Amino acid sequence: MTRIRLLGPVQYVSARGTATRPGAPGPQAVLAALALRAGSLVTIDELIDGLYHDDPPSTARRVVVNYVHRLRTHIDRVDPAEETAGERPSAVLGTTDDGYVLRLPEECVDALRFGLLTARARHHARNGDPAAAAAALAEALGMWQGPALAGLPGPGAEDHRRALNEQRASAVEHHLELLLECGRSAELVPDILRALEAYPYRERLHGALMLALYRSGRGAEALLAYDDARRVLADELGVDAGPALRELHAAILAEDQALLAGPGGRALLAGPSPAEEGAAATAPVRPGVPDLPAPAQLPPAPYDFTGRQEQLSALVAALTGGAEHAVAVITGMGGVGKTTLALRTAHTVAAGYPDGQLYANLRGPDGAPSDPAAVLTGFLAALGVPHERFPASLPDRTALFRTLLSRRAVLVVLDNATSVTQVEPLLPGAARCAVLITARALAAMPATLTVPLVGMGPDDAVELIGKVAGARRLDEEPDAVAALAAACGHLPLALRAAGARLAARPAWSVATLLERVSDQARLLGELRVGELTVEAVFELSTSQLPPRQARAFMALSIPHYAEFDVKGAAAVLDLPEQDAETVLEALVDAVLLETRAPGRYHFHDLVGAYARAKARAELTERERRTVVRRAADYICASIVAAVRASQPLAGPLTAEIHPRRSAGADVGTGHDAMLWVRGVLPTVVAVVEQAAASGDPDAVALAVDTVTLVPCFEDIVPLGSFAQAASALVPAAVAHCRGDIAGTAYYAAGVVLQKHSSPESLHRSRAHLLRVLDTFGDTPAPGGGPRPFLLVLFSLAMLAQLELQFGNFAAARAYAERSVAVARLSGDRELVARRRTLLLQVEVEDPDRRMDLTGIAAQCRELSGVFTRSEDEKWLIRMLMTEAESVLRGGGHAEAAGLYRRVLERARDSGHARNETECLFRLSEALLATGDTVGALGTARDAVAGARLAQEPLLTAHSQRALGLALRAVGEEPEAASHLERAEELYRALRGPSGAAEV
């Protein structure tokens, strides 16, 4: 089989046995990272972190992809004849969405096989078979062909090289001890001396040399070897020989005959037998300070620990599962509960580390990273080293620390780590020790397990508030507590702060605090626990940012983006896309931005609030307005692109759009562009609201143009969500923009308010649309520019629909006829056809219609032909619906039901959600008329669900009425009455206080 060699120069060994170097050091480093985790996913981000010491370049992802391509090319070139069943040899290097997998068993990677063999040796040794154990280690050590990962660059290779070399040293040590147990003393002396040249500070090797010399009849040399060991340890590390070495020295002086035992006899420092393992592990090794208690430095376990059971179980398993050199890392943003989870985990597993627990907070009181040399001072003191014996340099302190823990089982907890460089000197080398680390980000840290922590789930968040504030709060105001948890972003620190404020203020209701935190300007100030605030925790992260990243962090928060991509960020920051992506990824690494998918970014709610507060304090008003203008420009350009990609009237609709700087997003074509609009709807609303509040004329004009175009997508997005933003644009445009922009703002607000869930908004919509006619005149000529002509044309159509909703059929017909007349001025047959569609709809619904239903149906079929030839699916669906309604009102119930079913299929296939809902309630009416009560009921329920999403009052009223009638038909009178009453309430509100409009 294919094999990978890492214990020496990196080599790829083909199935035929050909060994080659797979390219330059960069591709070799990628292959090594994949091989060391063979069979498991290694993400591209992890590979990047392993290649670069500092901030990776913007091209890092392409570099990794290129390296993998080179590796595959090399593999195929080395194994040209190994292709089977159409699969190339390079298929061993698999690709996933997030990274790559090397599909090889552990036995095929020498470094992993080395670990398997050392584990096998330990098993044989525990079972009393030193010869078999020694043979396994001899095989393992025989695989080494030089320094591990020789010549490979990058922090990942350095970390793995360090770990592999430590494993090699332990294996050499254990192998020599096993051979001593087998009675091979004299011949081992040269081998032990060579090992000591490589590892001069390992006391067990010194002990093995003393024992080998003594057993070979060279007792005096054994005593000299002890003196050499003491001198090396004192001169280099500033420590005395450990008690085990001193005990061996005393036994040699006393000519202890037990030292001469052969295989299976007493052999101090040759490793404990299974029976002696526990006692040997806890032997005191503190120089000059015997019988010190084991350190127990863990802070108390948090009393209010809540949830996180899955993460807790995974961490406990990683630290108690028997893995050697276990390292578990918890990452996440400030305030997410990393320390709480770490302490609960540490206390849970503490019994498994009988030699003690060491704890250090790696950030000082001022937030600055702690010096690892200072941290080691505390650790060494806890382990019994007198201050006068502390080595001066960091490497020497690390060496002493690892020596003291070499035969112990100690848990080391490192809280709030800032970098691998800070952590690395604090890691013990002993296999039975374990390390638990918390950090905001520590991607390059080799770990047994990494747990990325995010906010709590809604139920756990509510429970945590209850634990802090008192359980009665949950019983008395469950909805308010849930809303408060959401306002806190489900962030544990914020939840504790909110709970603590309630606990300290028993007279406050939860609703009172909820109202206070709902004010963005007061939000962060309300979230305080003593001297610790959510704002201060975030400040720790931002204080470390370079100026460019700090300004980007503030600027990106200003438009209130729900989510943004690289192009959107580049537009806001006025940066090339590659530079913008570099900044974004740096903010993700600093845990100040979150990402759900590649290239998509968003703020945690509280981080966004903090960033905006920081922007208000540190950016000038001009800078903030510039950011909003750029965001509005990008959104407007993107909506224009979506209109041009999906709408028949794209040219005239976008001909006079305000000048733009940005090219906008990549929205796709056709239906994809429409889906893009639906996906970014919250972001569009947020940017429009910011533009309206900015007072910047350009930003307001861009926002007006954006909202004017959004109704092109009314069949797939709920226009009611724009009601507040569109209403705010009207006074902003009147105050800051020229007359045509103000008139356009009236039109945009009129269209949106017609679709809003509040019935009274329909009357405001009519008032706005009438202002459009006042602004541009009743019948502007097409030659006067597309904006006035189209706005008047569409306003007339919208007024006709409004009057139809109010039941003012005469006014509706008058507006519809005027819209047809204006459309004819353009000479555009399809435009006229669309306006005629509205006129036919009025005729169908008017009890005093001017033409019979048969004639209406015939005209509907004529216009359907026009829309079919022009492939205008949206208006074809509307026309078919009007035809079906004319048939239904004429008594052709079964025929109408068939027509509605065909229209429903078209609406679903094309994604026109609003038309689908309208078709559903009308189909329910048709089915009920045919006697299909079961079908009518199910269809009406679907209609009500769709109307709830569309948020249109008339659509909701019709759907509620259809459901009420269907329920009555199947005998469900109480439920039927409820729906019919709701429908009647909506109809009354829609009719409202106003009469027919003047036409």
Side-chain angles (χ1 to χ4, degrees), residues 647 674 678 710-719 755 873-875 877-878 881 907 910-918 950 952:
Q647 303 296 319
M674 299 176 72
R678 184 160 62 189
V710 166
C712 293
F713 308 99
E714 65 173 322
D715 293 317
I716 63 167
V717 300
L719 292 186
K755 306 296 182 181
E873 188 73 9
K874 174 180 176 180
W875 284 93
I877 289 172
R878 293 185 181 181
M881 196 106 63
S910 58
H912 290 110
R914 187 198 175 282
N915 285 337
E916 178 184 343
T917 301
E918 183 175 354
E952 292 185 31

mmCIF file of all heavy atoms in Angstrom, residues 647 674 678 710-719 755 873-875 877-878 881 907 910-918 950 952:
data_model
loop_
_atom_site.group_PDB
_atom_site.id
_atom_site.type_symbol
_atom_site.label_atom_id
_atom_site.label_comp_id
_atom_site.label_asym_id
_atom_site.label_seq_id
_atom_site.Cartn_x
_atom_site.Cartn_y
_atom_site.Cartn_z
ATOM 1 N N GLN A 647 -36.338 40.903 -14.551
ATOM 2 C CA GLN A 647 -37.586 41.607 -14.817
ATOM 3 C C GLN A 647 -37.703 42.033 -16.281
ATOM 4 O O GLN A 647 -36.739 42.551 -16.858
ATOM 5 C CB GLN A 647 -37.692 42.856 -13.933
ATOM 6 C CG GLN A 647 -37.600 42.556 -12.452
ATOM 7 C CD GLN A 647 -38.738 41.705 -11.951
ATOM 8 O OE1 GLN A 647 -39.890 41.887 -12.337
ATOM 9 N NE2 GLN A 647 -38.424 40.747 -11.086
ATOM 10 N N MET A 674 -33.771 36.427 -8.051
ATOM 11 C CA MET A 674 -34.913 36.657 -7.171
ATOM 12 C C MET A 674 -34.686 36.024 -5.799
ATOM 13 O O MET A 674 -35.011 36.612 -4.759
ATOM 14 C CB MET A 674 -36.180 36.099 -7.816
ATOM 15 C CG MET A 674 -36.510 36.775 -9.155
ATOM 16 S SD MET A 674 -37.936 36.060 -9.984
ATOM 17 C CE MET A 674 -39.259 36.644 -8.948
ATOM 18 N N ARG A 678 -34.481 37.673 -1.861
ATOM 19 C CA ARG A 678 -35.178 37.169 -0.676
ATOM 20 C C ARG A 678 -34.192 36.905 0.460
ATOM 21 O O ARG A 678 -34.480 37.174 1.628
ATOM 22 C CB ARG A 678 -35.930 35.881 -1.016
ATOM 23 C CG ARG A 678 -36.759 35.348 0.145
ATOM 24 C CD ARG A 678 -37.852 34.400 -0.316
ATOM 25 N NE ARG A 678 -37.313 33.217 -0.961
ATOM 26 C CZ ARG A 678 -38.058 32.326 -1.610
ATOM 27 N NH1 ARG A 678 -39.361 32.522 -1.729
ATOM 28 N NH2 ARG A 678 -37.516 31.269 -2.155
ATOM 29 N N VAL A 710 -37.761 47.360 -5.129
ATOM 30 C CA VAL A 710 -38.064 46.142 -4.373
ATOM 31 C C VAL A 710 -39.432 45.547 -4.714
ATOM 32 O O VAL A 710 -39.577 44.319 -4.766
ATOM 33 C CB VAL A 710 -37.930 46.408 -2.853
ATOM 34 C CG1 VAL A 710 -38.554 45.286 -2.045
ATOM 35 C CG2 VAL A 710 -36.463 46.564 -2.479
ATOM 36 N N PRO A 711 -40.494 46.353 -4.992
ATOM 37 C CA PRO A 711 -41.771 45.739 -5.352
ATOM 38 C C PRO A 711 -41.727 44.856 -6.598
ATOM 39 O O PRO A 711 -42.673 44.093 -6.841
ATOM 40 C CB PRO A 711 -42.691 46.959 -5.565
ATOM 41 C CG PRO A 711 -42.118 48.006 -4.679
ATOM 42 C CD PRO A 711 -40.642 47.810 -4.763
ATOM 43 N N CYS A 712 -40.669 44.947 -7.399
ATOM 44 C CA CYS A 712 -40.524 44.014 -8.519
ATOM 45 C C CYS A 712 -40.500 42.568 -8.034
ATOM 46 O O CYS A 712 -40.740 41.644 -8.815
ATOM 47 C CB CYS A 712 -39.224 44.303 -9.286
ATOM 48 S SG CYS A 712 -39.194 45.881 -10.144
ATOM 49 N N PHE A 713 -40.209 42.389 -6.736
ATOM 50 C CA PHE A 713 -40.080 41.041 -6.183
ATOM 51 C C PHE A 713 -41.179 40.745 -5.171
ATOM 52 O O PHE A 713 -41.017 39.905 -4.291
ATOM 53 C CB PHE A 713 -38.699 40.894 -5.521
ATOM 54 C CG PHE A 713 -37.559 41.296 -6.414
ATOM 55 C CD1 PHE A 713 -36.977 42.550 -6.304
ATOM 56 C CD2 PHE A 713 -37.089 40.435 -7.391
ATOM 57 C CE1 PHE A 713 -35.936 42.929 -7.130
ATOM 58 C CE2 PHE A 713 -36.049 40.808 -8.234
ATOM 59 C CZ PHE A 713 -35.474 42.063 -8.106
ATOM 60 N N GLU A 714 -42.318 41.428 -5.315
ATOM 61 C CA GLU A 714 -43.375 41.294 -4.313
ATOM 62 C C GLU A 714 -43.927 39.882 -4.228
ATOM 63 O O GLU A 714 -44.500 39.496 -3.206
ATOM 64 C CB GLU A 714 -44.516 42.262 -4.612
ATOM 65 C CG GLU A 714 -45.255 41.971 -5.907
ATOM 66 C CD GLU A 714 -46.486 42.858 -6.069
ATOM 67 O OE1 GLU A 714 -47.151 43.097 -5.053
ATOM 68 O OE2 GLU A 714 -46.757 43.290 -7.187
ATOM 69 N N ASP A 715 -43.754 39.083 -5.271
ATOM 70 C CA ASP A 715 -44.297 37.736 -5.237
ATOM 71 C C ASP A 715 -43.454 36.781 -4.411
ATOM 72 O O ASP A 715 -43.886 35.674 -4.116
ATOM 73 C CB ASP A 715 -44.430 37.183 -6.668
ATOM 74 C CG ASP A 715 -45.480 37.936 -7.463
ATOM 75 O OD1 ASP A 715 -46.551 38.210 -6.900
ATOM 76 O OD2 ASP A 715 -45.224 38.263 -8.633
ATOM 77 N N ILE A 716 -42.231 37.193 -4.050
ATOM 78 C CA ILE A 716 -41.378 36.285 -3.283
ATOM 79 C C ILE A 716 -40.887 36.885 -1.978
ATOM 80 O O ILE A 716 -40.274 36.186 -1.183
ATOM 81 C CB ILE A 716 -40.163 35.817 -4.118
ATOM 82 C CG1 ILE A 716 -39.269 37.003 -4.477
ATOM 83 C CG2 ILE A 716 -40.583 35.070 -5.355
ATOM 84 C CD1 ILE A 716 -37.917 36.590 -5.005
ATOM 85 N N VAL A 717 -41.110 38.185 -1.749
ATOM 86 C CA VAL A 717 -40.678 38.785 -0.487
ATOM 87 C C VAL A 717 -41.843 39.542 0.135
ATOM 88 O O VAL A 717 -42.680 40.110 -0.579
ATOM 89 C CB VAL A 717 -39.488 39.756 -0.688
ATOM 90 C CG1 VAL A 717 -38.300 39.035 -1.271
ATOM 91 C CG2 VAL A 717 -39.872 40.941 -1.554
ATOM 92 N N PRO A 718 -41.939 39.552 1.476
ATOM 93 C CA PRO A 718 -43.014 40.313 2.145
ATOM 94 C C PRO A 718 -42.674 41.805 2.164
ATOM 95 O O PRO A 718 -41.830 42.255 2.942
ATOM 96 C CB PRO A 718 -43.025 39.723 3.558
ATOM 97 C CG PRO A 718 -41.638 39.203 3.765
ATOM 98 C CD PRO A 718 -41.132 38.770 2.423
ATOM 99 N N LEU A 719 -43.347 42.569 1.321
ATOM 100 C CA LEU A 719 -43.051 43.997 1.238
ATOM 101 C C LEU A 719 -43.370 44.727 2.534
ATOM 102 O O LEU A 719 -42.819 45.798 2.810
ATOM 103 C CB LEU A 719 -43.834 44.636 0.094
ATOM 104 C CG LEU A 719 -43.453 44.227 -1.334
ATOM 105 C CD1 LEU A 719 -44.223 45.059 -2.335
ATOM 106 C CD2 LEU A 719 -41.954 44.377 -1.560
ATOM 107 N N LYS A 755 -48.950 46.828 1.095
ATOM 108 C CA LYS A 755 -48.746 45.421 1.414
ATOM 109 C C LYS A 755 -48.520 45.186 2.905
ATOM 110 O O LYS A 755 -48.248 44.058 3.316
ATOM 111 C CB LYS A 755 -47.519 44.892 0.652
ATOM 112 C CG LYS A 755 -47.588 45.123 -0.851
ATOM 113 C CD LYS A 755 -48.739 44.370 -1.486
ATOM 114 C CE LYS A 755 -48.774 44.572 -2.990
ATOM 115 N NZ LYS A 755 -49.900 43.874 -3.628
ATOM 116 N N GLU A 873 -43.965 35.154 -16.984
ATOM 117 C CA GLU A 873 -44.627 34.187 -16.112
ATOM 118 C C GLU A 873 -45.449 34.870 -15.021
ATOM 119 O O GLU A 873 -46.550 34.430 -14.689
ATOM 120 C CB GLU A 873 -43.572 33.275 -15.472
ATOM 121 C CG GLU A 873 -44.140 32.108 -14.685
ATOM 122 C CD GLU A 873 -44.735 31.019 -15.560
ATOM 123 O OE1 GLU A 873 -44.553 31.091 -16.796
ATOM 124 O OE2 GLU A 873 -45.379 30.114 -15.020
ATOM 125 N N LYS A 874 -44.937 35.955 -14.491
ATOM 126 C CA LYS A 874 -45.620 36.640 -13.401
ATOM 127 C C LYS A 874 -47.005 37.107 -13.823
ATOM 128 O O LYS A 874 -48.009 36.846 -13.139
ATOM 129 C CB LYS A 874 -44.759 37.808 -12.946
ATOM 130 C CG LYS A 874 -45.390 38.725 -11.915
ATOM 131 C CD LYS A 874 -44.421 39.853 -11.561
ATOM 132 C CE LYS A 874 -45.027 40.849 -10.607
ATOM 133 N NZ LYS A 874 -44.090 41.942 -10.262
ATOM 134 N N TRP A 875 -47.090 37.812 -14.941
ATOM 135 C CA TRP A 875 -48.387 38.340 -15.386
ATOM 136 C C TRP A 875 -49.254 37.247 -16.000
ATOM 137 O O TRP A 875 -50.493 37.334 -15.945
ATOM 138 C CB TRP A 875 -48.170 39.490 -16.364
ATOM 139 C CG TRP A 875 -47.745 40.724 -15.630
ATOM 140 C CD1 TRP A 875 -46.486 41.133 -15.385
ATOM 141 C CD2 TRP A 875 -48.605 41.661 -14.994
ATOM 142 N NE1 TRP A 875 -46.483 42.285 -14.639
ATOM 143 C CE2 TRP A 875 -47.785 42.642 -14.384
ATOM 144 C CE3 TRP A 875 -49.987 41.791 -14.875
ATOM 145 C CZ2 TRP A 875 -48.297 43.715 -13.677
ATOM 146 C CZ3 TRP A 875 -50.512 42.872 -14.175
ATOM 147 C CH2 TRP A 875 -49.666 43.808 -13.580
ATOM 148 N N ILE A 877 -49.511 34.246 -14.758
ATOM 149 C CA ILE A 877 -50.166 33.651 -13.590
ATOM 150 C C ILE A 877 -51.342 34.519 -13.138
ATOM 151 O O ILE A 877 -52.433 34.019 -12.845
ATOM 152 C CB ILE A 877 -49.140 33.464 -12.448
ATOM 153 C CG1 ILE A 877 -48.161 32.342 -12.810
ATOM 154 C CG2 ILE A 877 -49.829 33.172 -11.123
ATOM 155 C CD1 ILE A 877 -47.000 32.195 -11.839
ATOM 156 N N ARG A 878 -51.145 35.823 -13.107
ATOM 157 C CA ARG A 878 -52.234 36.717 -12.688
ATOM 158 C C ARG A 878 -53.416 36.637 -13.649
ATOM 159 O O ARG A 878 -54.585 36.656 -13.233
ATOM 160 C CB ARG A 878 -51.724 38.147 -12.607
ATOM 161 C CG ARG A 878 -50.711 38.361 -11.491
ATOM 162 C CD ARG A 878 -50.327 39.818 -11.365
ATOM 163 N NE ARG A 878 -49.339 40.021 -10.307
ATOM 164 C CZ ARG A 878 -48.848 41.188 -9.962
ATOM 165 N NH1 ARG A 878 -49.263 42.287 -10.601
ATOM 166 N NH2 ARG A 878 -47.962 41.302 -9.003
ATOM 167 N N MET A 881 -55.309 33.445 -13.218
ATOM 168 C CA MET A 881 -56.079 33.518 -11.985
ATOM 169 C C MET A 881 -57.378 34.296 -12.217
ATOM 170 O O MET A 881 -58.451 33.918 -11.724
ATOM 171 C CB MET A 881 -55.246 34.207 -10.904
ATOM 172 C CG MET A 881 -55.767 33.997 -9.502
ATOM 173 S SD MET A 881 -54.765 32.859 -8.581
ATOM 174 C CE MET A 881 -53.214 33.724 -8.520
ATOM 175 N N ALA A 907 -47.314 28.664 -10.116
ATOM 176 C CA ALA A 907 -46.843 29.581 -9.077
ATOM 177 C C ALA A 907 -45.775 28.919 -8.216
ATOM 178 O O ALA A 907 -44.759 29.538 -7.852
ATOM 179 C CB ALA A 907 -48.003 30.051 -8.205
ATOM 180 N N SER A 910 -42.431 28.541 -10.156
ATOM 181 C CA SER A 910 -41.702 29.791 -10.392
ATOM 182 C C SER A 910 -41.350 30.528 -9.109
ATOM 183 O O SER A 910 -40.698 31.558 -9.152
ATOM 184 C CB SER A 910 -42.539 30.713 -11.293
ATOM 185 O OG SER A 910 -43.801 30.976 -10.699
ATOM 186 N N GLY A 911 -41.799 30.004 -7.951
ATOM 187 C CA GLY A 911 -41.452 30.626 -6.676
ATOM 188 C C GLY A 911 -42.259 31.855 -6.341
ATOM 189 O O GLY A 911 -41.849 32.642 -5.486
ATOM 190 N N HIS A 912 -43.420 32.071 -6.990
ATOM 191 C CA HIS A 912 -44.245 33.253 -6.706
ATOM 192 C C HIS A 912 -45.134 32.953 -5.502
ATOM 193 O O HIS A 912 -46.287 32.504 -5.636
ATOM 194 C CB HIS A 912 -45.090 33.618 -7.927
ATOM 195 C CG HIS A 912 -44.274 34.157 -9.066
ATOM 196 N ND1 HIS A 912 -44.067 33.463 -10.226
ATOM 197 C CD2 HIS A 912 -43.584 35.316 -9.200
ATOM 198 C CE1 HIS A 912 -43.306 34.179 -11.040
ATOM 199 N NE2 HIS A 912 -42.999 35.306 -10.439
ATOM 200 N N ALA A 913 -44.601 33.211 -4.317
ATOM 201 C CA ALA A 913 -45.270 32.797 -3.086
ATOM 202 C C ALA A 913 -46.610 33.515 -2.880
ATOM 203 O O ALA A 913 -47.592 32.909 -2.450
ATOM 204 C CB ALA A 913 -44.360 33.051 -1.890
ATOM 205 N N ARG A 914 -46.659 34.811 -3.199
ATOM 206 C CA ARG A 914 -47.912 35.536 -2.974
ATOM 207 C C ARG A 914 -49.016 35.006 -3.888
ATOM 208 O O ARG A 914 -50.147 34.794 -3.459
ATOM 209 C CB ARG A 914 -47.685 37.035 -3.209
ATOM 210 C CG ARG A 914 -48.896 37.859 -2.842
ATOM 211 C CD ARG A 914 -48.903 39.246 -3.426
ATOM 212 N NE ARG A 914 -50.145 39.902 -3.102
ATOM 213 C CZ ARG A 914 -51.299 39.658 -3.731
ATOM 214 N NH1 ARG A 914 -51.347 38.786 -4.722
ATOM 215 N NH2 ARG A 914 -52.406 40.299 -3.373
ATOM 216 N N ASN A 915 -48.690 34.824 -5.174
ATOM 217 C CA ASN A 915 -49.678 34.282 -6.103
ATOM 218 C C ASN A 915 -50.116 32.879 -5.680
ATOM 219 O O ASN A 915 -51.272 32.495 -5.858
ATOM 220 C CB ASN A 915 -49.098 34.231 -7.513
ATOM 221 C CG ASN A 915 -49.028 35.604 -8.154
ATOM 222 O OD1 ASN A 915 -49.760 36.518 -7.765
ATOM 223 N ND2 ASN A 915 -48.140 35.767 -9.120
ATOM 224 N N GLU A 916 -49.188 32.123 -5.124
ATOM 225 C CA GLU A 916 -49.529 30.781 -4.650
ATOM 226 C C GLU A 916 -50.574 30.856 -3.537
ATOM 227 O O GLU A 916 -51.551 30.098 -3.533
ATOM 228 C CB GLU A 916 -48.263 30.090 -4.133
ATOM 229 C CG GLU A 916 -48.520 28.700 -3.557
ATOM 230 C CD GLU A 916 -47.261 28.076 -2.971
ATOM 231 O OE1 GLU A 916 -46.151 28.559 -3.285
ATOM 232 O OE2 GLU A 916 -47.401 27.109 -2.189
ATOM 233 N N THR A 917 -50.387 31.795 -2.602
ATOM 234 C CA THR A 917 -51.338 31.933 -1.497
ATOM 235 C C THR A 917 -52.712 32.369 -2.006
ATOM 236 O O THR A 917 -53.752 31.844 -1.590
ATOM 237 C CB THR A 917 -50.807 32.948 -0.471
ATOM 238 O OG1 THR A 917 -49.551 32.492 0.018
ATOM 239 C CG2 THR A 917 -51.773 33.116 0.682
ATOM 240 N N GLU A 918 -52.738 33.337 -2.922
ATOM 241 C CA GLU A 918 -54.016 33.792 -3.480
ATOM 242 C C GLU A 918 -54.724 32.649 -4.200
ATOM 243 O O GLU A 918 -55.942 32.465 -4.077
ATOM 244 C CB GLU A 918 -53.787 34.961 -4.432
ATOM 245 C CG GLU A 918 -55.083 35.539 -4.985
ATOM 246 C CD GLU A 918 -54.860 36.773 -5.831
ATOM 247 O OE1 GLU A 918 -53.708 37.256 -5.899
ATOM 248 O OE2 GLU A 918 -55.844 37.245 -6.435
ATOM 249 N N ALA A 950 -46.924 36.385 3.998
ATOM 250 C CA ALA A 950 -47.008 37.536 3.102
ATOM 251 C C ALA A 950 -47.324 38.829 3.848
ATOM 252 O O ALA A 950 -46.958 39.916 3.409
ATOM 253 C CB ALA A 950 -48.086 37.288 2.050
ATOM 254 N N GLU A 952 -50.097 40.505 4.277
ATOM 255 C CA GLU A 952 -51.005 41.419 3.582
ATOM 256 C C GLU A 952 -52.405 41.259 4.161
ATOM 257 O O GLU A 952 -52.931 40.141 4.230
ATOM 258 C CB GLU A 952 -51.026 41.125 2.085
ATOM 259 C CG GLU A 952 -49.726 41.436 1.374
ATOM 260 C CD GLU A 952 -49.831 41.236 -0.124
ATOM 261 O OE1 GLU A 952 -50.948 41.450 -0.658
ATOM 262 O OE2 GLU A 952 -48.832 40.866 -0.750
#
